[in-house]
Amino acid sequence: MGKIVNVILSGGIGSRLWPLSRKSKPKQYLPIFNEKSLFKLTIERNQPVCGHVVLVGSVQNIDLAKEDLKAISHDIIVETVPRNTAAAIAFAALSRDPDDILIVTPSDHLIEGEEQYMQAIKRGIEFAKDDSLVTFGINPTRPETGYGYIESEGNEVLSFREKPNYETAKDFLKSGNFLWNSGIFCFKASTYLQELERFDPKIYTASKAAFEAAEQGVLDEELSLKIPSKSVDYAIMERSDSIKVVPSFFHWSDMGSFDSLYDYLISKGHPKDEQGNIVIGENNKHTVFLGLQNCVVVNTADAVLVMDKAFSQDVKHVYELLEKENSPLI
């Protein structure tokens, strides 16, 4: 058997956590989780089973990762342009021996419950040894509209579902056979590349060309632009007949929005007023909320966000508007 390798995907910018998260320092590198970053926590979590890390990250912020990687065996693959997760995982798989088992994890998820996490990962490794593509489904605790879902029966996947509306999410929860799609995967490098070539040969061929032309781990920009930008779910997981799901019971959040961050901070004793209002970030001013409930003020040196927690999914629209304006605030 090959090595077990933690592939960490760190190309995201966390637009729904603006203004805390910026292109130059996205959310996975913010040391706000007991003074650690989500990236550092990801490395630590997987070290008990993984002897090596392959980081696939953005040229804009890859240097932020290097300090945390110093103490462990690692390789870095630098994306000059983002091409989504199907290609990012392909780069990592191409860098490894065919029999190496890849545990593919986003760098920006918060996971608590180490024992349950390890149980799930070890179960996934056993399926991966038998040439399955493994995904991890989280036992849902509420009708969440911000996550994709996996319809399953035991370890068999029946379907993948997009982020639902609230009524559909309630139906999913009631049915009892839907899991949150965690975005964590496990498979042999060779199995992944075979299925990618089978289901999306354009991504496979273009990713291979960009990888082979890389210099010192930095991917060629012109060749990278030729790679179709597609998620691993669309490219392979929704189409392959070699999929297994491991129902998992660790506490998981993708920390994708301020309502997730709000819940985490409150659980750790972050100060809030009697109406559930909180202040996040650089707060050197006395802040008072009048006539407001469950609101969040986010303070940074150059921007302030004031929002009702219920609108946390809409922060990405603010980011998109700033991006269109070529604002220096992103």
Side-chain angles (χ1 to χ4, degrees):
M1 193 187 85
K3 292 180 179 178
I4 298 174
V5 176
N6 183 197
V7 174
I8 302 180
L9 306 179
S10 188
I13 52 173
S15 59
R16 286 177 295 169
L17 284 184
W18 180 89
L20 284 184
S21 186
R22 310 289 180 100
K23 281 183 178 177
S24 60
K25 193 165 187 178
K27 62 177 178 176
Q28 59 266 34
Y29 298 116
L30 299 172
I32 56 176
F33 302 90
N34 289 332
E35 299 186 359
K36 291 184 179 180
S37 69
L38 292 172
F39 179 73
K40 187 174 179 62
L41 290 171
T42 302
I43 294 171
E44 291 177 351
R45 179 185 314 126
N46 292 288
Q47 271 190 294
V49 291
C50 298
H52 189 81
V53 168
V54 175
L55 170 64
V56 185
S58 166
V59 69
Q60 291 177 310
N61 51 59
I62 200 78
D63 287 343
L64 297 172
K66 290 179 179 175
E67 186 64 35
D68 290 331
L69 290 169
K70 272 182 183 175
I72 54 171
S73 170
H74 69 273
D75 294 305
I76 298 175
I77 299 170
V78 183
E79 293 183 299
T80 45
V81 287
R83 303 320 286 160
N84 218 314
T85 53
I89 298 168
F91 301 142
L94 288 162
S95 76
R96 302 304 306 171
D97 290 338
D99 285 341
D100 284 354
I101 290 177
L102 312 181
I103 296 170
V104 180
T105 61
S107 59
D108 56 0
H109 288 183
L110 183 71
I111 289 172
E112 296 176 310
E114 287 181 20
E115 190 177 331
Q116 293 98 321
Y117 179 76
M118 272 299 128
Q119 283 175 355
I121 292 295
K122 287 174 180 176
R123 182 76 172 123
I125 290 169
E126 292 308 308
F127 281 128
K129 287 177 185 175
D130 292 331
D131 298 321
S132 291
L133 297 171
V134 183
T135 184
F136 296 84
I138 309 298
N139 190 48
T141 56
R142 61 185 184 276
E144 174 62 56
T145 60
Y147 301 151
Y149 285 73
I150 301 167
E151 184 183 12
S152 64
E153 196 171 285
N155 298 114
E156 303 303 317
V157 174
L158 303 180
S159 68
F160 287 85
R161 302 294 184 90
E162 292 299 305
K163 295 174 183 177
N165 60 33
Y166 187 70
E167 290 304 315
T168 304
K170 283 203 295 187
D171 290 342
F172 285 174
L173 200 66
K174 198 182 296 180
S175 78
N177 64 332
F178 283 85
L179 303 165
W180 287 336
N181 187 350
S182 71
I184 302 169
F185 307 101
C186 180
F187 32 67
K188 283 182 189 170
S190 56
T191 305
Y192 179 79
L193 293 172
Q194 284 163 11
E195 293 295 272
L196 183 61
E197 187 175 21
R198 177 184 170 198
F199 290 107
D200 211 313
K202 286 183 180 176
I203 293 180
Y204 173 81
T205 304
S207 298
K208 194 165 186 283
F211 177 78
E212 289 174 350
E215 292 187 12
Q216 297 181 317
V218 180
L219 296 162
D220 183 90
E221 184 172 353
E222 190 178 335
L223 290 173
S224 294
L225 286 167
K226 294 179 180 177
I227 304 169
S229 180
K230 202 178 283 189
S231 75
V232 64
D233 284 330
Y234 281 128
I236 300 179
M237 304 304 281
E238 294 179 9
R239 302 159 77 184
S240 174
D241 50 10
S242 301
I243 309 293
K244 295 287 184 186
V245 62
V246 175
S248 306
F249 298 90
F250 49 86
H251 177 78
W252 170 89
S253 170
D254 73 348
M255 281 296 143
S257 59
F258 278 111
D259 54 351
S260 302
L261 185 57
Y262 176 100
D263 291 343
Y264 168 78
L265 291 173
I266 294 300
S267 75
K268 299 300 179 186
H270 189 86
K272 64 172 180 173
D273 71 10
E274 291 179 357
Q275 302 303 317
N277 301 302
I278 71 168
V279 178
I280 301 173
E282 302 171 15
N283 186 35
N284 51 10
K285 293 176 182 164
H286 183 64
T287 305
V288 179
F289 298 86
L290 286 176
L292 299 172
Q293 292 182 325
N294 299 319
C295 286
V296 179
V297 169
V298 186
N299 266 312
T300 68
D302 57 357
V304 177
L305 173 69
V306 182
M307 58 174 281
D308 183 321
K309 185 167 74 80
F311 288 81
S312 60
Q313 295 293 333
D314 293 336
V315 175
K316 65 182 177 185
H317 301 313
V318 177
Y319 184 94
E320 286 163 2
L321 186 62
L322 291 168
E323 197 170 32
K324 279 181 186 172
E325 295 170 353
N326 289 317
S327 170
L329 294 173
I330 63 169

